[in-house]
């Protein structure tokens, strides 16, 4: 494993590289409701249970819950770790980078405002706590952690900022180091402005992957899985708007009603041929009888 610890909890410092690298996301974070999808402050916990999976996300009143935009920092961290590992370099949960390197990767500006927003995001990631059964061997066992164990600004002797150091939790780092739990994502993801469409892209990328004939989800299932505080009616309205705009890079969305009368969201890969994409009609996955929703 490309990871080194020394002494009692001492971690070697991993310096992030400024080179252009692929964007990679952790599959567990793409599949389940770990983040607030709202731009306004959320303090209401996410309390999610589905089968053997349980997730409890709690926020502080001071900072609010970590958002799906804050999760861009975790995408940056995962991308750095995987790229370094693939190039034979040692990695660590203790990472160092300049604010510019992080902001440039997640396609934010490098203004003082962007820097302050970055620090606020780090505060939310550090203060948000998660308890989950995912990847725990015992069904009733939960792993509890924060998205960032701790972080600090580094300054020189005159007080000028040199960069940021942060420590990732074991749960996240272990998932990143495992090849099977990482997926490459389209860099256009960082341009998506809505919380729901960002969450939807990650879910589609995880479940749809590269399947030619796509996949589909029952809207009720999607609503529960999103962890959103929006009422189902509002959630459905927002989904319809996303389907109308088609903002997800690489995927085509369509709404339909299945043979049981339930509304479904269908998604499949965009046609490779740009001329075909203009006339292609999104189709439902094989094995599901559907009719279009107007």
């Amino acid at each position: 494993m490309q990871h080194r610890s020394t002494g009692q909890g001492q971690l070697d410092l991993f310096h992030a590289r400024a080179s252009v690298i692929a964007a990679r996301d952790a599959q567990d974070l793409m599949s389940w409701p770990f983040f607030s999808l709202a731009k306004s402050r959320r303090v209401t916990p996410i309390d999610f249970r589905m089968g053997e999976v349980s997730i409890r996300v709690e926020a502080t009143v001071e900072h609010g819950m970590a958002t799906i935009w804050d999760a861009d920092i975790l995408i940056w961290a995962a991308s750095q770790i995987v790229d370094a590992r693939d190039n034979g370099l040692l990695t660590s949960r203790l990472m160092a980078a300049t604010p510019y390197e992080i902001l440039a990767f997640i396609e934010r500006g490098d203004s003082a405002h962007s820097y302050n927003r970055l620090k606020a995001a780090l505060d939310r990631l550090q203060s948000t706590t998660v308890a989950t059964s995912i990847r725990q061997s015992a069904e009733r066992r939960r792993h509890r952690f924060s998205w960032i164990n701790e972080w600090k600004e580094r300054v020189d002797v005159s007080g000028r900022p040199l960069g940021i150091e942060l420590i990732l939790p074991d749960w996240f780092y272990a998932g990143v180091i495992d090849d099977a739990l990482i997926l490459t994502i389209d860099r256009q993801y960082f341009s998506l402005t809505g919380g729901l469409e960002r969450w939807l892209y990650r879910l589609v990328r995880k479940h749809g992957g590269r399947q030619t004939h796509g996949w589909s989800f029952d809207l009720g299932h999607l609503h529960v899985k999103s962890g959103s505080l929006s009422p189902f009616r509002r959630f459905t309205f927002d989904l319809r708007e996303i389907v109308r705009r088609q903002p997800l890079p690489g995927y085509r969305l369509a709404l339909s009603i299945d043979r049981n009368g339930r509304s479904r969201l269908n998604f499949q890969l965009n046609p490779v041929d740009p001329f075909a994409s203009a006339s292609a009609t999104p189709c439902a996955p094989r094995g599901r009888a559907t009719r279009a929703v107007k």
Side-chain angles (χ1 to χ4, degrees):
M1 179 181 292
Q2 306 287 335
H3 174 227
R4 214 168 30 169
S5 296
T6 56
Q8 293 294 322
Q10 294 297 311
L11 298 168
D12 288 341
L13 185 62
F14 167 46
H15 289 273
R17 304 198 302 163
S19 57
V20 177
I21 61 176
R24 288 152 168 132
D25 206 350
Q27 289 193 44
D28 287 334
L29 275 60
M30 301 165 80
S31 299
W32 306 105
F34 282 112
F35 302 99
S36 170
L37 306 185
K39 292 182 178 179
S40 57
R41 179 176 300 188
R42 173 172 176 169
V43 294
T44 303
I46 295 173
D47 201 352
F48 174 86
R49 293 178 183 273
M50 185 172 290
E52 296 182 354
V53 172
S54 66
I55 297 169
R56 172 84 176 180
V57 184
E58 297 176 313
T60 64
V61 174
E62 180 182 2
H63 298 294
M65 185 178 293
T67 71
I68 199 162
W69 294 273
D70 301 337
D72 288 357
I73 298 172
L74 299 177
I75 294 176
W76 164 81
S79 304
Q80 285 285 336
I81 292 168
V82 172
D83 181 74
R85 182 204 59 195
D86 291 350
N87 283 280
L89 303 175
L90 288 175
T91 63
S92 171
R93 294 191 296 114
L94 174 59
M95 301 182 66
T98 65
Y100 174 79
E101 289 168 347
I102 300 175
L103 292 169
F105 181 86
I106 63 179
E107 301 185 5
R108 312 274 179 93
D110 60 354
S111 64
H113 177 64
S114 295
Y115 184 32
N116 288 332
R117 289 180 62 190
L118 175 65
K119 291 192 289 184
L122 290 166
D123 280 339
R124 284 189 293 271
L125 290 166
Q126 194 276 326
S127 61
T128 298
T129 59
V130 179
T132 181
S133 63
I134 295 174
R135 285 193 270 121
Q136 300 307 299
S137 56
E139 183 178 344
R140 295 181 178 273
R141 182 181 173 189
R142 281 186 167 194
H143 194 125
R144 184 177 292 274
F145 58 90
S146 295
W147 292 117
I148 293 177
N149 287 3
E150 59 183 84
W151 75 276
K152 67 179 180 180
E153 292 180 273
R154 294 182 294 121
V155 297
D156 62 18
V157 291
S158 62
R160 290 178 299 184
L162 295 175
I164 289 172
E165 290 183 10
L166 58 88
I167 301 177
L168 299 168
D170 282 321
W171 185 90
F172 176 78
Y173 184 81
V176 170
I177 285 297
D178 186 339
D179 264 337
L181 297 180
I182 289 293
L183 287 174
T184 302
I185 62 172
D186 194 308
R187 292 200 62 84
Q188 291 183 52
Y189 167 79
F190 296 116
S191 299
L192 297 176
T193 57
L196 183 58
E197 64 192 39
R198 279 175 154 249
W199 171 78
L200 197 59
Y201 171 78
R202 298 172 89 189
L203 187 74
V204 167
R205 176 68 185 94
K206 165 64 173 67
H207 290 278
R210 303 302 182 193
Q211 298 182 67
T212 303
H213 299 287
W215 201 255
S216 79
F217 276 115
D218 172 84
L219 295 196
H221 176 84
L222 277 179
H223 182 237
V224 171
K225 203 166 186 181
S226 72
S228 172
L229 292 176
S230 294
F232 179 67
R233 188 171 182 177
R234 177 68 195 188
F235 179 84
T236 302
F237 176 85
D238 291 339
L239 274 183
R240 289 177 182 275
E241 180 61 18
I242 291 173
V243 171
R244 185 189 67 80
R245 292 188 293 108
Q246 297 293 333
L248 304 195
Y251 293 94
R252 186 77 182 169
L253 307 177
L255 286 169
S256 63
I257 296 177
D258 65 21
R259 65 185 66 180
N260 296 314
R262 294 175 301 185
S263 296
R264 302 190 73 89
L265 179 72
N266 309 296
F267 50 88
Q268 65 178 133
L269 285 169
N270 266 336
V272 176
D273 182 353
F275 296 101
S277 63
S279 59
T281 301
C283 60
R286 289 179 175 176
R288 292 187 175 92
T290 59
R291 55 186 172 89
V293 174
K294 296 180 180 179

